[in-house]
Amino acid sequence: MQRGERECFMRIAVFSDSHGVTEPMLAAIEEHKPDMVLHLGDYVRDAEAIAAYFPSLDLRYVRGNCDAYSHSDAEENLLFNADGVRIFMTHGHLYGVKRDLTALAGAAKDAGARLALFGHTHIQHLEERGGITLLNPGTAGRFGHSGYAVVEIKDGAFSCRLETDTE
C-alpha cells in the first residue's frame, strides 16, 4: 500500500443513547472518517443532526425507548447487509437487554444476522454468543463514561472495537 492510500475495508461508527449530546459523535466521525454511521436510538434527533453535518454520509438509525414521543418514523429494528455482513440493529429495550441478551441473540440469529447492535444499557459490551457478535457501544451522551464502537468489514469478515471518549 502506498502512502496516502486507504486500505480496502468498510468502517462503521456505532453510537447509542446520545440523549441530546452530539459533540462526541461529531468528533468521532471526524477522527475515524467512517463509510457508514449507525445510531441505536435515544435520541433520533441527534442522528438527524449528524445527517445535517455530514449530508453525504450513509446514516441509519432506529428508535429508542426515549424516542416514543419524538414523532419519528424511524423503525424499531433494522436488518441490512454491509459489505457481506448481515447486521441486526435495535435499541434493545424490546428485547430486555438490561436483564439478559438471550432474546436479542435469538432475534438476530432468526434474522440470519452475524452482528447484533444494541444500546439502552449505557454500558459498553462486546461478546460472541452462538455465532452472533453482540455489540453495545455504550452511551454517546454524558452519563458518566461515554463511548462508541467501530466496526471494520473486509471481504465478509468483521472486527469490532469499543472506544471511549476521553474529553
Side-chain angles (χ1 to χ4, degrees):
M1 188 165 66
Q2 292 184 354
R3 187 176 178 175
E5 287 183 19
R6 183 172 172 171
E7 233 182 292
C8 288
F9 62 86
M10 176 180 226
R11 180 175 290 142
I12 303 172
V14 185
F15 303 102
S16 189
D17 297 280
S18 49
H19 293 274
V21 180
T22 58
E23 294 82 9
M25 294 185 297
L26 297 174
I29 292 167
E30 286 288 346
E31 177 183 346
H32 295 284
K33 311 256 186 283
D35 302 294
M36 179 184 290
V37 170
L38 306 177
H39 191 286
L40 306 175
D42 284 359
Y43 290 176
V44 166
R45 68 175 180 247
D46 297 341
E48 293 164 349
I50 291 171
Y53 278 94
F54 302 99
S56 63
L57 191 59
D58 186 354
L59 171 70
R60 301 171 193 208
Y61 53 91
V62 292
R63 190 172 58 225
N65 60 299
C66 292
D67 293 314
Y69 303 106
S70 68
H71 306 291
S72 171
D73 61 352
E75 299 289 331
E76 292 180 328
N77 301 315
L78 281 180
L79 180 66
F80 62 96
N81 289 309
D83 210 17
V85 176
R86 195 152 175 89
I87 299 173
F88 179 81
M89 62 184 276
T90 188
H91 183 63
H93 62 293
L94 300 175
Y95 297 93
V97 297
K98 286 188 176 180
R99 293 183 311 276
D100 182 46
L101 298 179
T102 303
L104 173 64
K109 187 171 187 140
D110 290 347
R114 293 172 44 208
L115 177 59
L117 306 173
F118 69 102
H120 190 53
T121 67
H122 297 191
I123 299 168
Q124 290 184 319
H125 185 87
L126 177 59
E127 78 170 91
E128 185 173 334
R129 184 182 290 196
I132 308 294
T133 298
L134 304 170
L135 173 63
N136 184 331
T139 176
R142 295 284 187 225
F143 294 96
H145 200 71
S146 64
Y148 58 97
V150 175
V151 177
E152 292 180 345
I153 303 172
K154 183 175 181 176
D155 299 329
F158 66 94
S159 64
C160 305
R161 72 176 181 271
L162 298 170
E163 300 277 347
T164 55
D165 181 29
T166 56
E167 290 183 22

